[in-house]
Amino acid sequence: MKEEESELGSGSPSSLSAAALSQARSSAAMVKYSTEAANPTKSAKAMGRDLRVHFKNTRETAFALRRMPLMKAKRYLEDVIAHKQAIPFRRFCRGVGRTAQAKNRQPNGQGRWPAKSANFILDLLKNAESNAEVKGLDVDSLYISHIQVNQAMKQRRRTYRAHGRINPYMSSPCHIELILSEKEEAVKKEAETQIAPRKGKNAQVLRSGASS
């Protein structure tokens, strides 16, 4: 009996550690980005899953931030929360009113101020900025090289209508992922040296014939 107990006792920690490792690997494999940075050593990532914020508003907010420098994007979102600048609505713009603040970015002038979406994306930008600082990147030269919003599984509730009816009352959460990258310094192209054209044999023949 003692031998059996010793065998069980010696085998249990290894089995637990193997299970923990497999669980950690599976959880790490679940976090996937739709794309990878061109230079992973010069980039930082951040992701939010199943966020309780409307997909359509968040998609339009993210679209307005594409390829924007980090500091400029943070100021822009803070202005949106303060209603100083508007987010132009390009795709999901049915029934969206027009405002003069959106005409600078969108010709039709349709725009809104989705404060909740702006707060969520602003928090993700700060998270990615902290990740970049840990990696030793230059925060002032970071820009949003990739940002994407995907629909998450809808969450179901119910609302009660007249005559004893019940209608669905769904929420539209979303997944947000973004990548910050450092701007690469452009290498100056060297001045091209003009090479004198080579004289062909035909030219020499013509010259000899003209002299004769």
Side-chain angles (χ1 to χ4, degrees):
M1 291 292 290
K2 291 181 179 179
E3 291 179 358
E4 292 179 358
E5 289 177 359
S6 63
E7 289 177 1
L8 289 172
S10 62
S12 57
S14 62
S15 61
L16 287 174
S17 61
L21 283 172
S22 63
Q23 185 178 1
R25 286 173 183 170
S26 62
S27 62
M30 287 173 61
V31 180
K32 289 184 179 179
Y33 287 78
S34 62
T35 185
E36 292 295 332
N39 190 358
T41 59
K42 296 292 184 179
S43 61
K45 300 177 182 178
M47 177 186 285
R49 308 284 295 179
D50 294 300
L51 303 177
R52 283 295 297 268
V53 60
H54 203 282
F55 161 72
K56 293 183 179 180
N57 292 341
T58 311
R59 186 264 168 196
E60 297 293 350
T61 307
F63 192 84
L65 299 176
R66 294 183 311 155
R67 315 295 296 180
M68 191 178 289
L70 174 61
M71 297 304 174
K72 184 178 179 181
K74 289 169 65 176
R75 287 195 302 269
Y76 180 41
L77 292 175
E78 290 169 357
D79 289 345
V80 169
I81 296 169
H83 283 220
K84 294 180 180 178
Q85 294 190 62
I87 296 291
F89 276 55
R90 294 176 171 87
R91 178 177 295 178
F92 304 109
C93 57
R94 188 170 184 178
V96 177
R98 288 174 169 79
T99 175
Q101 293 182 2
K103 287 184 179 179
N104 298 328
R105 301 176 180 271
Q106 178 71 2
N108 62 11
Q110 290 178 287
R112 281 179 176 172
W113 301 266
K116 190 174 181 180
S117 300
N119 277 316
F120 271 86
I121 296 180
L122 186 59
D123 290 341
L124 277 178
L125 286 175
K126 291 178 180 177
N127 191 353
E129 182 182 0
S130 299
N131 295 339
E133 289 177 352
V134 170
K135 293 180 73 172
L137 302 180
D138 185 10
V139 178
D140 295 331
S141 63
L142 292 176
Y143 73 101
I144 302 173
S145 60
H146 169 73
I147 185 166
Q148 181 173 316
V149 180
N150 297 325
Q151 288 186 9
M153 184 178 291
K154 296 196 177 211
Q155 299 178 6
R156 181 178 293 274
R157 288 182 292 169
R158 60 175 62 180
T159 183
Y160 300 92
R161 309 303 297 272
H163 310 294
R165 294 175 296 135
I166 294 176
N167 283 0
Y169 204 71
M170 312 286 282
S171 65
S172 300
C174 62
H175 311 307
I176 308 174
E177 63 179 53
L178 58 91
I179 299 176
L180 301 179
S181 301
E182 276 190 353
K183 286 186 178 178
E184 297 181 358
E185 295 182 359
V187 180
K188 292 184 179 180
K189 188 177 180 181
E190 293 184 359
E192 295 182 357
T193 56
Q194 294 183 356
I195 301 173
R198 295 180 62 185
K199 296 180 180 179
K201 294 182 179 179
N202 297 331
Q204 293 178 357
V205 169
L206 289 174
R207 285 180 182 177
S208 63
S211 60
S212 63

